[in-house]
Amino acid sequence: MKASAMTITVVLALTGCAGKTAYRGACAAELEAAWAEQSLAEAEGFAGTVSYSKAMALLAGAKTQQQFEAFHGCVRKAEKARFYLQESRAGR
């Protein structure tokens, strides 16, 4: 009886870990791409300062979520940040 309870506990723990890391790679890739776009927007002299400010806030939030292993939220925020960086570069 105790062995099966231990097995269930181990399986549940491993499942939780797998779910936590599902978006780890995507989070890192999105953040890397967003920071590259941020550098480009800065070098070009961004025209849309409101969009740029939104992007920077989202990037800070994405980085925080990455550090706390909230990878799915990190991906969403980084994707939104990239959108706002594109808007900023377009002058919107």
Side-chain angles (χ1 to χ4, degrees), residues 64-85:
T64 300
Q65 287 190 314
Q66 181 187 38
Q67 291 171 337
F68 286 100
E69 297 184 359
F71 299 117
H72 189 253
C74 166
V75 170
R76 287 184 308 190
K77 279 187 173 51
E79 287 172 345
K80 285 182 184 178
R82 293 181 69 196
F83 168 78
Y84 283 118
L85 285 166

Side-chain angles (χ1 to χ4, degrees), residues 3 18 20 24 32 46 49 53-54 57 59-60 68-69 84 87:
K20 217 173 193 187
R24 182 187 304 249
E32 185 177 333
F46 45 87
T49 56
S53 296
K54 287 180 182 180
L59 277 175
F68 286 100
E69 297 184 359
Y84 283 118
E87 291 292 299

Side-chain angles (χ1 to χ4, degrees), residues 1-14:
M1 190 78 162
K2 286 186 178 188
S4 64
M6 178 67 99
T7 303
I8 291 171
T9 303
V10 170
V11 169
L12 289 175
L14 292 175

Side-chain angles (χ1 to χ4, degrees), residues 30-42 44 46-59 77-92:
E30 284 294 327
L31 276 173
E32 185 177 333
W35 283 115
E37 289 175 15
Q38 182 271 339
S39 295
L40 189 60
E42 211 171 81
E44 290 178 351
F46 45 87
T49 56
V50 172
S51 292
Y52 185 83
S53 296
K54 287 180 182 180
M56 292 300 92
L58 286 163
L59 277 175
K77 279 187 173 51
E79 287 172 345
K80 285 182 184 178
R82 293 181 69 196
F83 168 78
Y84 283 118
L85 285 166
Q86 291 168 358
E87 291 292 299
S88 174
R89 290 177 61 207
R92 296 182 280 239

